Amino acid sequence: MTRLKTILLLAGLMPLSAMAGGKLTGTPIGTSRGLQYSNGGASSSIVYDIQGNAFDGDFETYFATDARSYGWVGLDLGTPHVIDRVGWSPRNDGVGPQRVQLGVIQGANQEDWLDAVPLYIITEKGIIGEMSYGDVDVKKGYRYVRFVSTGDARCNIAELEFYGTPGEGDSKNPNLFQVTNLPTVCINTLNAEEPYDKEHDITSNIIIINDHEAYVDKPGTVRERGNKSREFPKKPWRIKFDKKQQVLPDAPATAKKWTLINNYGDKTLMRNLIAFEIAKRLGMKFVPYGQAVDVILNGEYKGCYQLCDQVEVKEGRVDITEMDENDNEGEALTGGYLVEVDAYADQEPAGEWFQTKGWGIPVTIKSPDDGGTAAQYNYIKQYFEELETRVLYGISSEPGEKDYRNIFDIESFLQHFIVGELSGNTDTYWSTYMYKDRGDDVIYTGPVWDFDIAFDNDNRTYPIKNINGFLYDSGKASAARAMRDFTNRIIKNDTRTVQDLSRIWSYARNDKGLTYEGLEEFIDEKVKEIDASQKLNFLRWPIMNEWVHMNPTISGSYEGEVNRVKTYLKNRFPKLDLLMKYDAGLTSGVENMEEAASGMLYPMVSGNVISFEEEIPFAVYGIDGRKVYEGQSATPALPSGVYIVKTAAGAVKLAF
Ligand code: CA
């Protein structure tokens, strides 16, 4: 007793800054319905309110819950305390040590835990009969502190200790904890209800921790999303804020709806991100935002996800005119529409999808909401049917009044096609987004979306290097009804397409970094960024040696999974160079103009019209050598393509 008094006295004399907080006491709280094992764990019985077992200093008594997941135990400290250290010890038997791994220590000031944030995550196994400790550096104080076990672990904790000092701490610079270097997304639902389907929105508070601050701390809802991906134990979610919200500093949209992609079958956790990068390098508009994050749901660590845009009409997303129910005639009726050619369209409510009358292409109307008014529904349906008629029944390679290209943007379709072929996405025409803006006669293809079985991750097409010709018509890729024919006619029946494909592919290859080396560098950067998180992800979901989803092969390691993507890409580029008629000499008009600057004036291109600032005689030829203009003013508006512009001083190749 005398000795203890001396220690306390010394502690009292130490300067505050050097002193770690003392061991804290409070009222034990936690999941009420517990479990008591007997016969060495062979049988068990239900017991209630045994939270005190985790705070009695006895390694032989433990706290276990009847519920397999989301069990928790902690302390109500009465007032906020800044926590600086936590300690834990697992249940004293053979399965105990791994049960505490990935347990999350949380702090909150609301009894309902809606404001809960992580203070620490236990990444190692526990040690039986011993305390393990972790330092906490969060500067904000919390009244409620707890341990939430990983899934399917029933808590099973023998002892829990919290150390700290009383006070609200520094809420301006809280130095919040992130699970890894990635942003941490915390979803806290009302009454800890778990999202359970795609229809019911569960009331939540969503906290996104970035740079150790709560970049977002806002009410909203969460529900499941996706189709096939919902069947995995790691669920994909859609979050919806009550008010429009930017989620991270570099996310372009301010929006209510965001997605958390689970990437379960994609063991690189980055296939979508690589495909988005390819789309950007091709110059596509409206490429979705995506960022790898760690996710905690009601205190349980759920793994590495991708926080991503919801594909919708909105500034910073598909940035076209948003329609409302009054836009029923004249130019207002012409857009904007966002549709998805979608093999699952018939699962949508009536009035929100249609099938074209000719070949029965299934199309879901994503925007306007609920399929739009009757006038809007009919407009886009008839528009799409006119496109179908022109493509499926009347492809002609000559520009004319009924040319499908008058109502269809070939550039974006081919860019999208290239993303599909380069990524080896067998789902490219299973689900294809298209949009049509107000006052614009053409429909565009995009944005790109959903690449979890791309990059040789599909057992139906693996290995893609053994497929001759394009993937989309290999007979092995999936497509919504008639979309393979639709695509075939554009790619094969329209002789202009060969040249267009060569031009788009070659520019991206030569000028925009669409090279194997460029993508390898991107992948290596992502590996560094994701590495700490992927390690925890595959502790949480130990599937590295399992066949999941469409996996064609198992490498057994994260590095091996990433290398499979690299090897695939290394083989894919030369194959597509042949198929798309790669032209190593083709560079963008801008660069050629710079080369020609010494001997020649700059041609200008505006609205597909070529002219010179000064009136000089010039001639314009198509890439096939056909003269399309000769004079000294300006060409008529020309179809997009490659042109040679000749003056007395020289020639330059142009493209637009
Ligand atoms: Ca105990």
Side-chain angles (χ1 to χ4, degrees):
M1 184 63 93
T2 313
R3 200 174 139 220
L4 183 64
K5 269 184 180 166
T6 311
I7 291 167
L8 286 174
L9 188 65
L10 280 173
L13 291 171
M14 284 168 73
L16 267 175
S17 60
M19 192 182 69
K23 186 170 165 183
L24 302 176
T25 55
T27 309
I29 49 176
T31 308
S32 177
R33 193 176 158 93
L35 211 56
Q36 182 76 52
Y37 295 90
S38 52
N39 299 331
S43 56
S44 62
S45 54
I46 302 292
V47 289
Y48 288 91
D49 295 321
I50 54 167
Q51 297 90 347
N53 283 357
F55 302 98
D56 60 1
D58 183 351
F59 292 121
E60 301 298 324
T61 61
Y62 56 87
F63 174 84
T65 60
D66 182 36
R68 305 199 70 93
S69 299
Y70 302 103
W72 63 275
V73 62
L75 291 175
D76 174 0
L77 301 170
T79 58
H81 285 66
V82 177
I83 305 299
D84 55 42
R85 195 158 79 116
V86 292
W88 60 90
S89 183
R91 180 181 139 202
N92 191 357
D93 72 7
V95 296
Q98 67 262 33
R99 297 279 178 96
V100 297
Q101 197 172 27
L102 295 184
V104 173
I105 307 291
Q106 282 187 309
N109 283 309
Q110 288 176 221
E111 205 176 355
D112 59 12
W113 298 93
L114 283 174
D115 65 334
V117 291
L119 302 176
Y120 192 81
I121 184 164
I122 300 169
T123 56
E124 305 297 323
K125 290 179 181 175
I127 304 166
I128 289 171
E130 261 184 47
M131 295 302 294
S132 300
Y133 292 99
D135 291 329
V136 177
D137 202 22
V138 177
K139 305 298 185 198
K140 189 179 169 185
Y142 298 96
R143 173 177 166 177
Y144 303 96
V145 289
R146 69 175 177 179
F147 165 88
V148 185
S149 75
T150 189
D152 208 23
R154 293 186 145 136
C155 261
N156 278 293
I157 191 146
E159 281 299 303
L160 198 52
E161 295 176 359
F162 295 94
Y163 295 81
T165 47
E168 291 179 2
D170 189 347
S171 52
K172 275 190 184 161
N173 297 295
N175 194 35
L176 296 179
F177 177 78
Q178 285 168 232
V179 173
T180 68
N181 53 301
L182 298 180
T184 297
V185 176
C186 309
I187 304 169
N188 300 319
T189 69
L190 190 63
N191 301 320
E193 186 178 9
E194 190 175 15
Y196 58 95
D197 68 10
K198 282 164 64 165
E199 284 75 41
H200 295 84
D201 293 306
I202 311 296
T203 302
S204 309
N205 189 55
I206 299 144
I207 301 169
I208 300 176
I209 303 169
N210 184 55
D211 280 340
H212 301 284
E213 291 176 350
Y215 189 77
V216 176
D217 185 348
K218 290 285 164 61
T221 59
V222 60
R223 61 168 166 81
E224 290 185 353
R225 63 166 302 282
N227 291 304
K228 176 72 190 166
S229 62
R230 268 183 68 216
E231 295 168 19
F232 304 124
K234 181 187 179 190
K235 302 293 180 189
W237 293 301
R238 189 199 75 176
I239 53 181
K240 185 180 177 186
F241 292 99
D242 292 351
K243 291 178 181 166
K244 289 179 186 176
Q245 183 64 48
Q246 198 195 23
V247 288
L248 285 168
D250 65 340
T254 300
K256 288 182 179 179
K257 295 174 188 172
W258 298 84
T259 59
L260 284 164
I261 310 291
N262 51 346
N263 291 330
Y264 191 74
D266 169 17
K267 291 173 188 168
T268 70
L269 304 164
M270 64 164 82
R271 282 181 163 81
N272 280 310
L273 300 176
I274 303 168
F276 292 174
E277 181 65 19
I278 291 171
K280 282 179 198 164
R281 290 183 190 208
L282 277 158
M284 287 196 85
K285 283 169 106 175
F286 313 145
V287 178
Y289 171 81
Q291 169 64 48
V293 296
D294 289 295
V295 175
I296 293 174
L297 173 68
N298 294 329
E300 188 182 307
Y301 177 66
K302 291 292 189 179
C304 180
Y305 279 69
Q306 186 186 304
L307 177 58
C308 208
D309 275 335
Q310 167 97 358
V311 177
E312 62 176 351
V313 173
K314 185 158 292 292
E315 192 181 342
R317 291 185 170 164
V318 180
D319 196 356
I320 60 176
T321 307
E322 262 185 89
M323 295 186 96
D324 66 33
E325 66 278 8
N326 300 316
D327 297 328
N328 289 312
E329 53 185 25
E331 184 163 292
L333 186 58
T334 67
Y337 297 92
L338 174 66
V339 299
E340 181 188 7
V341 175
D342 174 16
Y344 289 122
D346 62 2
Q347 295 178 17
E348 300 296 324
E352 297 182 24
W353 70 285
F354 59 82
Q355 221 170 351
T356 54
K357 65 174 187 270
W359 287 49
I361 298 176
V363 181
T364 301
I365 300 172
K366 309 298 279 189
S367 187
D369 288 343
D370 308 321
T373 65
Q376 292 163 355
Y377 179 93
N378 288 330
Y379 176 89
I380 193 63
K381 181 170 187 282
Q382 283 164 19
Y383 195 93
F384 210 89
E385 285 175 342
E386 175 64 20
L387 174 64
E388 172 195 60
T389 302
R390 292 187 188 192
V391 170
L392 292 177
Y393 299 112
I395 282 257
S396 108
S397 290
E398 289 302 315
E401 201 189 330
K402 285 287 178 186
D403 186 358
Y404 75 100
R405 292 185 176 206
N406 295 342
I407 59 169
F408 187 71
D409 179 62
I410 192 70
E411 295 288 311
S412 58
F413 179 81
L414 293 180
Q415 288 168 336
H416 182 274
F417 173 84
I418 290 171
V419 176
E421 288 294 332
L422 180 56
S423 69
N425 190 13
T426 43
D427 274 352
T428 301
Y429 298 107
W430 181 259
S431 160
T432 311
Y433 283 102
M434 296 185 184
Y435 58 90
K436 184 188 176 301
D437 203 357
R438 182 170 299 180
D440 191 338
D441 284 341
V442 302
I443 190 161
Y444 297 80
T445 307
V448 297
W449 186 250
D450 199 357
F451 293 87
D452 56 342
I453 60 171
F455 301 99
D456 247 348
N457 199 25
D458 185 338
N459 53 30
R460 295 168 300 180
T461 50
Y462 179 85
I464 290 174
K465 69 177 179 187
N466 289 355
I467 293 172
N468 291 316
F470 288 123
L471 176 63
Y472 83 93
D473 70 338
S474 64
K476 294 176 172 180
S478 47
R481 184 178 164 137
M483 273 309 278
R484 194 173 293 115
D485 295 302
F486 182 93
T487 304
N488 249 332
R489 278 162 201 258
I490 293 171
I491 299 296
K492 293 181 179 166
N493 293 27
D494 183 347
T495 53
R496 293 167 293 185
T497 300
V498 177
Q499 210 176 85
D500 292 329
L501 207 50
S502 170
R503 170 175 55 82
I504 296 168
W505 174 252
S506 301
Y507 286 158
R509 299 279 282 121
N510 297 337
D511 290 349
K512 295 178 186 169
L514 193 67
T515 61
Y516 173 73
E517 292 74 20
L519 292 181
E520 186 186 39
E521 197 181 330
F522 175 83
I523 292 167
D524 288 341
E525 278 170 21
K526 288 290 155 197
V527 167
K528 272 187 206 153
E529 187 188 331
I530 293 174
D531 200 49
S533 181
Q534 66 84 9
K535 287 185 174 117
L536 297 183
N537 183 80
F538 292 108
L539 270 179
R540 181 67 183 82
W541 310 106
I543 55 171
M544 201 47 99
N545 289 299
E546 280 177 31
W547 304 78
V548 297
H549 199 188
M550 313 287 277
N551 288 169
T553 179
I554 288 175
S555 70
S557 72
Y558 185 71
E559 190 188 14
E561 292 293 329
V562 171
N563 283 342
R564 182 147 53 86
V565 171
K566 289 184 180 178
T567 304
Y568 160 79
L569 280 171
K570 208 169 210 168
N571 290 323
R572 193 64 179 156
F573 271 107
K575 177 73 124 330
L576 291 183
D577 279 346
L578 289 174
L579 290 172
M580 302 209 193
K581 304 197 189 314
Y582 172 52
D583 179 350
L586 209 55
T587 57
S588 75
V590 176
E591 292 205 349
N592 271 322
M593 280 191 273
E594 280 166 4
E595 280 170 26
S598 57
M600 187 175 159
L601 291 169
Y602 291 106
M604 300 185 300
V605 182
S606 174
N608 285 14
V609 171
I610 303 172
S611 62
F612 283 84
E613 209 164 349
E614 294 172 33
E615 285 206 348
I616 55 164
F618 70 100
V620 178
Y621 299 83
I623 195 99
D624 55 359
R626 205 153 42 97
K627 192 189 285 178
V628 295
Y629 176 81
E630 186 165 13
Q632 48 187 333
S633 56
T635 67
L638 299 166
S640 292
V642 181
Y643 297 93
I644 313 292
V645 183
K646 280 187 178 170
T647 72
V652 65
K653 203 190 278 187
L654 272 184
F656 47 84

